[in-house]
Amino acid sequence: MGKVYKNAADALEGLTFDGMTVMSGGFGLCDIPENLIAALRDSGAQNITAISNNAGVDGFGLGLLLEPRQIKKMISSYVGENKEFERQFLAGELELEFNPQGTMAERIRAGGAGIPGFYTKTGYGTVIAEGKPTREFDGETYIMETGLKADVSLVKAWRGDTQGNLQFAKTARNFNPMMATAGKVTVVEVDELVEVGELDPNTIHTPGIFVQRIIEAKCEKRIENMTVRERN
Amino acid sequence: MGKVYKNAADALEGLTFDGMTVMSGGFGLCDIPENLIAALRDSGAQNITAISNNAGVDGFGLGLLLEPRQIKKMISSYVGENKEFERQFLAGELELEFNPQGTMAERIRAGGAGIPGFYTKTGYGTVIAEGKPTREFDGETYIMETGLKADVSLVKAWRGDTQGNLQFAKTARNFNPMMATAGKVTVVEVDELVEVGELDPNTIHTPGIFVQRIIEAKCEKRIENMTVRERN
Amino acid sequence: MTQRTGWTRDDMARRAAQELKDGFYVNLGIGIPTLVANHIPDGVDVTLQSENGMLGMGPFPYPDEVDPDLINAGKQTITELRRSSYFNSAESFAMIRGGHIDISILGAMEISEGGDIANWMIPGKMVKGMGGAMDLVAGVKRCVAVMDHTNKAGASKFLPQCTLPLTGRDCIDMVITDLGVFSRGEGEGRFRVTELAPGVEMDEVKAKTEADLRWG
Amino acid sequence: MTQRTGWTRDDMARRAAQELKDGFYVNLGIGIPTLVANHIPDGVDVTLQSENGMLGMGPFPYPDEVDPDLINAGKQTITELRRSSYFNSAESFAMIRGGHIDISILGAMEISEGGDIANWMIPGKMVKGMGGAMDLVAGVKRCVAVMDHTNKAGASKFLPQCTLPLTGRDCIDMVITDLGVFSRGEGEGRFRVTELAPGVEMDEVKAKTEADLRWG
């Protein structure tokens, strides 16, 4: 029952198929599961529905899957740092479902938590609300959003132990913990794989129950928008 | 705008009133906000609706508020370690609303997260579902539960800094973090009050935004059910 | 009274422990299910969840290890393991409700032939509450109920319909009693007798069971 | 073209910063709102939230401090403060949706007289998405929009109804433009002119505003 796999290709073995739904963690290019995304591309799976806050950039992140046209549909809150994405979208080759970022985060949490639907004020009165059930609470109208799940969730963490307990670094946490809960199978790449007992049980962000496979892998960690100040 | 108060009485000053709704953290007697509960009793507030997983024991925890009959209604998942509770309930002096423990935890989280309602399978087909709206998702029926909020939340944490950032110890976390988010005003007692910067930002369980007032206080930390094994 | 045949409480716990598979995440209820932890087969590594917010529950502490901040859902003092992690109650029940726990073994007052369970209240008596039981039976992947087959008066607790208020509907996959094991697969309506306790004859089971089982 | 009167982008940011009170938790949008951080009044201590999962956002890093694991919602590299805390996106938006952020200052393409805001898409152009904007305007206690009063063609951006797809309905409490400040209190339908930028006359505001304000 070991959860530790040799490398990304190994970790995705038997999990990929045409028409699959994949969640992919990260925010912008910050701690995306780089190696697992590349292995998913190499698997050749087609017609993927990808749930990810962003769509990567050309040649990196989910951009890797866009070029060989493996993605059929994206569910995201913010895209378009990516020329190939724009081209496919404008040519009608790519479906796109925008979710408000908080709604998306909550839908993923709900999916993992066995909550099939919840009400939110976000998007009421906008195109986002079109076709969605509404309900009044205390005189205010809310729209119903549904839980999201995936066949496979790809997650990037800072440290993980051999039981799959995870810690995330700083703002690299973002969508990763919820996605870990919402995949039928969750595969994780970590900067540092440690023995069980090395992580303080009080400071684990994702308990190992949500993790089925884990690899240690080197990450490029690209910076999308380097902004610095001068020392005076 | 300092959040640090001298003691429990000081921290509740101006917050208590007849008919108020109070959330009180802890599980059993494990890390309940002992000192704040005692100060709430001393405030003399009447007709309190108390939201707490349990109701304390005679003379400790929420039991302190039961004896002087300050509680009108309890929302709990498990009670009755408490003779006075039983007496008042059987005499019809105390209203009691049972919630499944997970539904209760999620209702409190929802209250703090701006989610007025959500669907769950828990309790479907039981008395808990009576009178609640239902909805089908993928052929299964779920019941709707609503978010819970409080006028004041009383929370017990292990360590807190002067900005209200909190850490909880082991299983003493329980309901405390969600309750911190669901109070109009959240008052916290900690074992250890530290300076800002002493807690690792990566390991904070409750960010200070949810905490309005904080005190350091000595806790008795009663053990409800001491169970040990022998060294052989 | 004749000499008792069938399983003792400890036997039932031992039999329930056979349902645990290597790598499982497990929630054990109070009573007989607690004893299951003593009978986990060799080579089977499971992680115990405590719904008040812990994975990787360890054994009871030695007297000098007792920590008031470390208790299980029965409010007993416990210990942590190297693999342990802590989380809040909302996260704990997200885990339960979301189907992440592989198996729940829990006590029962009554089980119906359709897999309903009643184990939280007796009308007319002081009701303590359902705690996490309703969430567990609604959320956990597989639920195994352990109970005596009959009550003290000899009446069947395995019934066409539960007479006590339900904890959950159509959620029990296996029932282990002092007389044997009763199972139903995914999508099967009724239970089959899949095992008899030593010395127990099918006739005795039939005589003591009001529920309509698939006897064939 | 005549010499420009009214506020510059920096002036607008400075004016917006006056809305921050000591102890506030604040979310700043991109564009002019980002500049607000440079103008926080002395003696006012606020905590900046970044919706990708941080409270206590610090200034941009020195070149040798850059950390790829530490970015803001605009994906810019930032730093942490002693008070900082990190959390996941669900927790971050629970904070926003639950009304725990005191104020959001954000850019706008159009504002309606009823407090609607449009700031995320222009039909016919490539749409990048709303990111967290819809959650912010729906959830934060008080929303202040900062925008130029007119577009490059001189047409009013303060309108009876937004012509662009909405980000949120009836959610903006104050509008700061290059011409002045427009406010409405809790439960008030329309905005009042509460302040004019230096050199700006009410007639100019009236001429450049299509929205029906409470001019009185």
Side-chain angles (χ1 to χ4, degrees):
Chain A
M1 288 304 294
K3 294 184 177 183
V4 180
Y5 285 69
K6 272 201 316 278
N7 55 43
D10 199 31
L12 289 191
E13 183 69 36
L15 300 182
T16 61
F17 56 92
D18 292 352
M20 71 189 297
T21 298
V22 177
M23 288 185 186
S24 180
F27 184 88
L29 301 183
C30 182
D31 279 62
I32 55 175
E34 302 179 17
N35 295 283
L36 292 168
I37 291 170
L40 178 58
R41 176 200 54 196
D42 296 344
S43 80
Q46 303 291 318
N47 290 314
I48 292 171
T49 296
I51 302 172
S52 176
N53 190 56
N54 314 95
V57 295
D58 290 303
F60 193 69
L62 291 180
L64 290 180
L65 294 169
L66 284 165
E67 280 137 49
R69 307 277 302 278
Q70 288 169 274
I71 296 182
K72 181 187 68 175
K73 180 179 178 181
M74 289 281 321
I75 300 180
S76 299
S77 89
Y78 195 84
V79 298
E81 314 292 4
N82 193 312
K83 287 221 175 349
E84 179 60 18
F85 184 99
E86 189 166 341
R87 192 199 64 69
Q88 289 184 23
F89 177 70
L90 294 176
E93 296 167 8
L94 184 68
E95 286 174 64
L96 178 54
E97 177 188 318
F98 278 127
N99 278 205
Q101 195 174 131
T103 293
M104 185 165 156
E106 189 68 15
R107 290 184 70 191
I108 297 167
R109 178 192 179 273
I115 292 174
F118 62 90
Y119 291 93
T120 175
K121 224 182 331 186
T122 300
Y124 175 64
T126 77
V127 294
I128 289 301
E130 283 171 16
K132 289 179 185 161
T134 59
R135 189 173 190 105
E136 271 201 21
F137 295 87
D138 285 334
E140 285 211 74
T141 308
Y142 293 77
I143 64 177
M144 196 189 83
E145 297 280 358
T146 55
L148 279 175
K149 290 188 200 185
D151 294 305
V152 176
S153 283
L154 307 182
V155 162
K156 173 71 198 342
W158 169 37
R159 297 197 294 194
D161 70 23
T162 54
Q163 289 272 341
N165 293 306
L166 306 179
Q167 291 176 330
F168 301 90
K170 301 181 182 176
T171 56
R173 206 180 307 181
N174 55 61
F175 282 84
N176 283 304
M178 291 88 73
M179 287 182 173
T181 71
K184 275 183 214 154
V185 182
T186 291
V187 188
V188 183
E189 60 177 271
V190 294
D191 292 333
E192 240 181 280
L193 183 67
V194 302
E195 282 306 310
V196 159
E198 289 191 35
L199 306 179
D200 172 1
N202 245 340
T203 66
I204 285 166
H205 299 130
T206 291
I209 190 171
F210 297 115
V211 174
Q212 281 71 49
R213 302 183 181 192
I214 189 167
I215 59 166
E216 185 180 69
K218 274 237 170 326
C219 251
E220 184 182 336
K221 292 211 185 194
R222 270 195 214 179
I223 292 175
E224 194 160 352
N225 199 346
M226 171 84 77
T227 322
V228 297
R229 57 180 167 152
E230 297 299 312
R231 285 194 196 278
N232 52 358
Chain B
M1 286 302 296
K3 294 183 178 183
V4 180
Y5 285 68
K6 272 201 315 279
N7 55 43
D10 198 32
L12 289 191
E13 182 71 37
L15 301 182
T16 60
F17 56 92
D18 292 352
M20 71 189 297
T21 297
V22 177
M23 287 186 186
S24 180
F27 184 89
L29 301 183
C30 182
D31 280 63
I32 55 175
E34 304 179 15
N35 295 283
L36 292 167
I37 291 170
L40 178 57
R41 177 201 50 196
D42 295 344
S43 80
Q46 303 290 320
N47 288 315
I48 292 172
T49 296
I51 302 172
S52 177
N53 190 57
N54 313 96
V57 294
D58 290 304
F60 193 67
L62 291 181
L64 290 180
L65 293 170
L66 283 165
E67 281 138 48
R69 306 276 301 277
Q70 287 169 275
I71 296 182
K72 181 186 68 175
K73 179 179 178 180
M74 288 282 320
I75 301 180
S76 300
S77 89
Y78 195 85
V79 297
E81 314 291 5
N82 193 312
K83 287 222 177 351
E84 178 61 16
F85 185 98
E86 190 168 337
R87 193 199 63 71
Q88 288 183 23
F89 177 67
L90 294 176
E93 297 168 8
L94 183 68
E95 285 175 64
L96 176 56
E97 178 188 316
F98 277 126
N99 278 204
Q101 194 174 132
T103 292
M104 185 164 154
E106 190 67 17
R107 290 183 71 192
I108 297 167
R109 178 193 178 272
I115 291 174
F118 62 90
Y119 291 93
T120 176
K121 224 182 331 184
T122 300
Y124 175 63
T126 77
V127 294
I128 288 302
E130 283 171 15
K132 290 179 183 161
T134 60
R135 191 174 188 103
E136 271 201 21
F137 295 88
D138 286 333
E140 286 211 72
T141 308
Y142 293 77
I143 64 177
M144 195 188 86
E145 296 280 359
T146 55
L148 279 175
K149 292 189 200 183
D151 294 305
V152 174
S153 283
L154 307 182
V155 163
K156 172 71 197 345
W158 168 38
R159 296 198 293 195
D161 70 21
T162 54
Q163 290 271 340
N165 293 306
L166 305 179
Q167 290 176 330
F168 301 90
K170 303 183 182 176
T171 56
R173 208 182 303 182
N174 55 63
F175 281 84
N176 284 303
M178 293 88 72
M179 287 183 174
T181 71
K184 276 183 210 152
V185 181
T186 291
V187 188
V188 183
E189 60 177 90
V190 294
D191 292 332
E192 241 182 281
L193 183 67
V194 301
E195 281 307 309
V196 159
E198 289 190 35
L199 306 179
D200 173 0
N202 246 339
T203 66
I204 285 166
H205 298 131
T206 292
I209 190 172
F210 297 115
V211 175
Q212 281 71 48
R213 303 183 180 191
I214 189 168
I215 60 166
E216 187 180 67
K218 274 239 172 323
C219 251
E220 183 183 338
K221 292 213 187 195
R222 267 194 218 183
I223 292 176
E224 194 162 351
N225 199 346
M226 171 84 76
T227 322
V228 297
R229 56 179 167 154
E230 297 300 311
R231 284 194 197 277
N232 52 358
Chain C
M1 237 177 118
T2 59
Q3 201 189 340
R4 187 174 173 111
T5 58
W7 282 326
T8 63
R9 286 164 55 90
D10 224 44
D11 293 334
M12 287 154 70
R14 186 178 295 108
R15 179 58 192 82
Q18 302 297 320
E19 299 303 310
L20 307 182
K21 295 193 174 46
D22 194 36
F24 265 23
Y25 291 89
V26 179
N27 187 291
L28 300 178
I30 53 175
I32 300 175
T34 305
L35 304 175
V36 171
N38 302 330
H39 298 288
I40 298 170
D42 285 347
V44 172
D45 179 35
V46 302
T47 302
L48 300 180
Q49 199 235 24
S50 188
E51 66 263 29
N52 55 319
M54 182 185 200
L55 273 169
M57 185 167 45
F60 296 133
Y62 296 116
D64 57 354
E65 287 179 335
V66 168
D67 181 346
D69 291 338
L70 183 45
I71 62 170
N72 66 15
K75 288 142 197 165
Q76 298 171 307
T77 45
I78 50 166
T79 54
E80 70 178 30
L81 303 171
R82 290 170 64 80
R83 74 178 61 177
S84 299
S85 59
Y86 300 105
F87 31 84
N88 69 41
S89 300
E91 290 165 329
S92 181
F93 283 94
M95 208 175 270
I96 289 167
R97 198 188 306 104
H100 302 281
I101 306 284
D102 293 294
I103 193 168
S104 170
I105 300 176
L106 70 170
M109 296 170 179
E110 293 178 348
I111 301 288
S112 82
E113 62 191 38
D116 301 347
I117 178 173
N119 75 347
W120 77 282
M121 80 175 275
I122 299 176
K125 290 206 180 177
M126 176 64 197
V127 180
K128 291 195 166 189
M130 70 291 286
M134 285 190 180
D135 309 281
L136 283 159
V137 298
V140 170
K141 277 183 207 150
R142 189 154 182 271
C143 291
V144 175
V146 181
M147 66 173 186
D148 288 328
H149 206 92
T150 56
N151 65 19
K152 282 173 191 156
S156 180
K157 295 168 71 172
F158 206 163
L159 298 167
Q161 296 293 331
C162 294
T163 64
L164 297 171
L166 294 186
T167 308
R169 178 160 288 181
D170 190 10
C171 53
I172 300 299
D173 301 288
M174 176 181 271
V175 183
I176 298 174
T177 76
D178 49 321
L179 301 186
V181 180
F182 308 84
S183 311
R184 54 180 202 149
E186 192 73 46
E188 288 179 359
R190 287 179 297 145
F191 293 85
R192 285 172 292 117
V193 184
T194 48
E195 211 173 311
L196 291 174
V200 173
E201 302 288 334
M202 189 62 103
D203 283 349
E204 182 186 355
V205 176
K206 285 190 182 173
K208 291 182 171 172
T209 304
E210 281 187 42
D212 185 21
L213 308 189
R214 293 161 63 211
W215 298 106
Chain D
M1 231 177 120
T2 58
Q3 202 188 342
R4 185 175 173 111
T5 58
W7 281 326
T8 63
R9 285 164 56 89
D10 225 44
D11 293 333
M12 286 153 71
R14 186 177 295 109
R15 178 59 190 81
Q18 302 297 320
E19 300 302 311
L20 307 182
K21 297 195 171 47
D22 194 35
F24 266 23
Y25 291 88
V26 178
N27 187 292
L28 301 178
I30 53 176
I32 300 175
T34 304
L35 304 176
V36 171
N38 304 330
H39 298 290
I40 297 170
D42 286 346
V44 172
D45 179 35
V46 303
T47 302
L48 300 180
Q49 198 237 23
S50 187
E51 65 264 28
N52 55 319
M54 182 184 198
L55 273 169
M57 185 165 47
F60 295 133
Y62 295 116
D64 56 355
E65 286 178 333
V66 167
D67 180 346
D69 292 336
L70 183 45
I71 63 171
N72 65 17
K75 288 142 197 163
Q76 297 171 309
T77 45
I78 50 166
T79 54
E80 69 179 31
L81 303 172
R82 291 171 62 80
R83 74 177 61 176
S84 298
S85 59
Y86 300 105
F87 31 85
N88 69 41
S89 299
E91 291 166 328
S92 181
F93 283 95
M95 208 175 270
I96 288 167
R97 197 188 307 104
H100 301 282
I101 306 283
D102 294 294
I103 193 168
S104 169
I105 300 176
L106 70 171
M109 296 170 177
E110 293 177 350
I111 300 289
S112 83
E113 62 191 38
D116 301 347
I117 177 171
N119 74 348
W120 77 282
M121 81 175 276
I122 300 176
K125 290 209 180 177
M126 176 64 198
V127 180
K128 291 197 165 189
M130 71 291 287
M134 285 189 181
D135 308 282
L136 283 159
V137 297
V140 170
K141 278 184 209 152
R142 188 153 184 271
C143 291
V144 175
V146 181
M147 66 173 185
D148 288 328
H149 206 92
T150 57
N151 66 18
K152 281 170 190 156
S156 181
K157 296 168 71 172
F158 206 164
L159 299 167
Q161 295 293 330
C162 294
T163 65
L164 297 171
L166 294 187
T167 307
R169 178 161 288 179
D170 190 11
C171 54
I172 300 300
D173 301 287
M174 175 180 272
V175 183
I176 298 173
T177 77
D178 50 319
L179 300 186
V181 180
F182 309 84
S183 311
R184 54 178 201 149
E186 192 73 42
E188 288 179 358
R190 287 178 297 146
F191 293 85
R192 286 171 292 117
V193 184
T194 46
E195 208 174 313
L196 292 173
V200 174
E201 302 289 334
M202 190 62 102
D203 283 348
E204 181 186 355
V205 175
K206 286 189 180 174
K208 290 181 171 173
T209 305
E210 281 187 42
D212 185 21
L213 308 190
R214 292 162 64 211
W215 299 107

